[in-house]
Amino acid sequence: MIMSAAEPFAKSKTGVKVIIVGAVGFGGLTAAIECHRQGHDVEVYESFPELKPLGDIISFGSNAGRIFRRWGVDGSIAKKMRELSIDLTGYGFNIHKYTGELIINQATPPQNPDAPVFNGHRGELHEIVFNYAKDDLGIPIHLNQRVEKYIEEPDRAGIELSNGEQVWGDVVVGSDGVRSKARELVLGYFDKPKSSGYAVFRAWFPNTDMIKDPRTKQFCENGDTFNGWIGQDVHFLFSTIKNGSDCCWVLTHKDEADIDESWSFPGKLEDVYKVFEGWDPMCKAIVEKTPESHLVDWKLVYRDPLPTWISKGGRIALLGDSAHPFLPTSAQGATQAMEDGVTIAVCLRRAGKKDVPDAVRTYQSIRYDRVRAVQKTGETTRDMWHKADWDKVKENPESVQFPREDWIHFHDAENHAEEVFDENFGQVQATVNGTH
């Protein structure tokens, strides 16, 4: 057994070489960390020349918290993330009708130290995980390395970089996001996205002007807050974080932009104000404090569930957004990518170097139906808010609470993969051998 102070759960070496493409998301980094923990030899390739603190608010459910909690010494990674995350103890989530009436205060469940929940700045939390993988665990992460091609042979898989260099391993994991190059190889055709019919304005900025305004200082002067307003085809979520010092908001609205992929553009405040016509004046009072340079207009596209996440030879696998993009209203996109990373690492260890393709097929077998079910919650939550019947909501305010479903949040990806591996692996081998 190989262990060090920084690797309290590291397993013995398997001899499996894993190449991961993509380090700007949590899925690729999780796959790298978990492959390292499971004893595989892992390297990561990323096209960005440097990783900047991109994005704004990101949410991790307790099913992600269980994963973070296992990293570092005595859960040190989870502790670092907690310091940067929203603390809604005693505040909860206030849900308002678009006209301003408070519908319900949804209490925040007490934190489970073994399965914490995190909501914080994507870039700040990503930096903690990136540094843990690169510096604490010593995982090679090669930046400024654009992958031009994925290659698969019967006994190995590899990538070709823009400089012509080829890198080979036993398996390649494409965690290269919604514009994945690996996806086309896996499917054998270009998978064209569709418009989701929605876009999101989003922003993150300091509380400087918010706290000066008597109307809005309440959100910043007494710690962290979380408020939402819901209306026809629109919802607005606003948080203050880090003891009220930072502000962030997201506004989901109808938008039929004809673009090829989810994409971010500079946003305009005047466009946000148009969406807010007839709404609670507090919403505009919050948004007008946003420096326009901090405003992003994010067009959401949709993909039908892919028929497969793995190549015909079983040595190239899709993970996270490259396999299954999520709507923001699921609050599970990054968490499900992390569950992918844990599962493929376990499958590769359990199957061993001689059965890598069947390990990869088993990863898909374990994950596929769960991911599809969780994906659907993004649509159901959005529709619950956007199509609310206000007479019924008045009778039953709980009907618009943000769902926290046990089958999602109580899931332990590592334990689950261990428990169901043999059954799924056996079915995969029977299918591959033509006996099933």
Side-chain angles (χ1 to χ4, degrees):
M1 182 74 72
I2 298 172
M3 282 195 185
S4 75
E7 306 167 59
F9 295 98
K11 308 284 198 306
S12 56
K13 294 294 184 184
T14 64
V16 176
K17 172 70 181 288
V18 183
I19 298 167
I20 294 171
V21 179
V24 295
F26 287 85
L29 288 179
T30 298
I33 292 165
E34 291 294 326
C35 282
H36 178 90
R37 287 184 65 226
Q38 296 294 338
H40 312 316
D41 177 15
V42 59
E43 293 193 35
V44 184
Y45 289 81
E46 168 55 52
S47 61
F48 274 64
E50 58 179 323
L51 292 186
K52 300 174 182 177
L54 301 169
D56 43 68
I57 192 79
I58 192 169
S59 300
F60 293 99
S62 50
N63 44 330
R66 284 184 183 82
I67 299 169
F68 289 127
R69 180 66 182 81
R70 290 177 172 131
W71 296 348
V73 181
D74 296 327
S76 60
I77 300 306
K79 289 175 185 174
K80 288 179 181 178
M81 295 177 73
R82 166 58 37 220
E83 292 169 6
L84 295 174
S85 294
I86 195 167
D87 180 4
L88 295 174
T89 306
Y91 190 88
F93 174 29
N94 288 326
I95 304 175
H96 305 80
K97 187 177 178 180
Y98 68 96
T99 46
E101 302 96 307
L102 177 66
I103 301 168
I104 193 168
N105 172 267
Q106 184 171 353
T108 302
Q111 283 281 351
N112 176 352
D114 291 324
V117 173
F118 300 110
N119 293 274
H121 190 284
R122 184 194 184 287
E124 293 175 349
L125 299 181
H126 182 269
E127 186 176 24
I128 292 172
V129 177
F130 179 84
N131 289 341
Y132 173 61
K134 183 173 180 289
D135 299 334
D136 294 5
L137 300 184
I139 295 171
I141 300 179
H142 308 281
L143 299 178
N144 202 22
Q145 297 290 335
R146 182 172 296 281
V147 175
E148 296 295 343
K149 192 158 64 170
Y150 289 76
I151 320 161
E152 183 175 46
E153 295 181 356
D155 59 348
R156 62 178 186 167
I159 53 175
E160 185 173 303
L161 305 174
S162 55
N163 63 4
E165 179 188 354
Q166 293 184 346
V167 184
W168 293 92
D170 295 296
V171 59
V172 175
V173 177
S175 184
D176 47 352
V178 292
R179 289 172 290 280
S180 169
K181 283 188 177 174
R183 187 192 296 118
E184 194 170 343
L185 180 144
V186 163
L187 294 176
Y189 59 87
F190 176 68
D191 175 50
K192 186 168 174 58
K194 309 171 181 176
S195 170
S196 69
Y198 287 88
V200 178
F201 289 110
R202 49 195 314 153
W204 183 291
F205 53 98
N207 74 1
T208 315
D209 293 331
M210 192 78 63
I211 206 158
K212 292 176 185 173
D213 187 335
R215 297 172 299 168
T216 56
K217 68 176 184 177
Q218 57 176 305
F219 300 115
C220 305
E221 60 187 358
N222 296 307
D224 297 343
T225 62
F226 186 22
N227 286 270
W229 287 258
I230 59 178
Q232 183 69 35
D233 291 327
V234 180
H235 70 270
F236 176 60
L237 303 177
F238 168 62
S239 303
T240 53
I241 203 164
K242 290 193 236 173
N243 202 32
S245 63
D246 285 8
C247 306
C248 59
W249 58 262
V250 294
L251 174 65
T252 301
H253 62 102
K254 280 281 194 183
D255 188 298
E256 297 292 348
D258 184 19
I259 56 172
D260 291 335
E261 287 289 358
S262 293
W263 202 254
S264 297
F265 303 92
K268 297 179 181 177
L269 287 171
E270 63 186 69
D271 293 335
V272 180
Y273 299 152
K274 289 174 187 171
V275 178
F276 277 147
E277 287 177 6
W279 276 52
D280 180 2
M282 182 61 77
C283 297
K284 185 176 180 183
I286 292 166
V287 166
E288 66 187 12
K289 311 297 188 298
T290 309
E292 198 161 64
S293 59
H294 291 226
L295 178 60
V296 170
D297 180 3
W298 180 29
K299 310 298 187 186
L300 299 177
V301 299
Y302 176 79
R303 275 194 156 82
D304 290 323
L306 302 184
T308 182
W309 305 344
I310 57 178
S311 59
K312 287 182 180 176
R315 289 188 179 270
I316 297 176
L318 304 178
L319 181 150
D321 280 350
S322 64
H324 46 73
F326 274 67
L327 293 173
T329 37
S330 71
Q332 277 283 314
T335 297
Q336 290 302 308
M338 291 180 67
E339 288 188 4
D340 288 351
V342 170
T343 303
I344 198 167
V346 169
C347 290
L348 288 167
R349 179 178 60 79
R350 290 288 297 271
K353 187 176 175 73
K354 66 181 176 57
D355 282 320
V356 165
D358 286 347
V360 174
R361 296 181 181 109
T362 302
Y363 146 71
Q364 175 175 276
S365 176
I366 292 172
R367 293 290 299 148
Y368 193 82
D369 288 343
R370 173 172 168 80
V371 166
R372 285 193 67 168
V374 180
Q375 272 180 305
K376 288 178 184 175
T377 66
E379 296 178 42
T380 54
T381 299
R382 181 195 66 198
D383 292 345
M384 173 186 75
W385 285 345
H386 287 196
K387 303 182 190 317
D389 181 325
W390 292 110
D391 290 335
K392 291 181 179 177
V393 170
K394 195 171 183 179
E395 295 171 8
N396 180 22
E398 287 81 8
S399 66
V400 292
Q401 289 193 141
F402 191 86
R404 291 191 180 98
E405 300 182 63
D406 290 353
W407 67 271
I408 297 176
H409 290 272
F410 287 2
H411 189 76
D412 186 321
E414 183 173 357
N415 287 351
H416 179 71
E418 295 281 9
E419 288 167 5
V420 304
F421 175 81
D422 287 335
E423 177 187 355
N424 283 269
F425 186 65
Q427 290 173 352
V428 162
Q429 291 204 307
T431 301
V432 170
N433 295 329
T435 61
H436 188 64

